[in-house]
Amino acid sequence: MPATSRPQSAPALSHRERQVLAHIAAGLSHKQVARRLGISVHTVSTYLRRIRSKRTAPTVAHLIRLSMTEDVAAMSSPGVRPGS
């Protein structure tokens, strides 16, 4: 089974977890994600830790791959660019 596949019993990601995942997959830093969502950098880290506990995604590359399989790319703001 691929590292980012979702077994039938895997818990669903929350709306906010999906938002954070979409922004990380778009190439934003933790600080940029926090600023965009109006949350702290620590909270961004917490959401990523929760995502990793629900799915096997030990690296950013795995998170990006997960974002594609979870179809969260559409959740990020249009025209999201790293450094924005």
Side-chain angles (χ1 to χ4, degrees), residues 2-7 10-14 16-18 20-21 24-25 28-30 41-67 70:
T4 57
S5 68
R6 180 178 172 197
L13 298 180
S14 72
R16 195 58 130 182
E17 289 166 345
R18 292 169 62 86
V20 169
L21 181 58
I24 293 295
L28 299 179
S29 69
H30 287 50
V41 174
H42 178 77
T43 303
V44 170
S45 296
T46 297
Y47 282 123
L48 290 171
R49 189 172 56 251
R50 288 180 187 171
I51 292 166
R52 286 181 167 124
S53 74
K54 292 178 180 182
R55 307 288 189 277
T56 304
T59 67
V60 173
H62 285 101
L63 288 171
I64 292 168
R65 188 173 186 191
L66 174 63
S67 75
E70 295 281 334

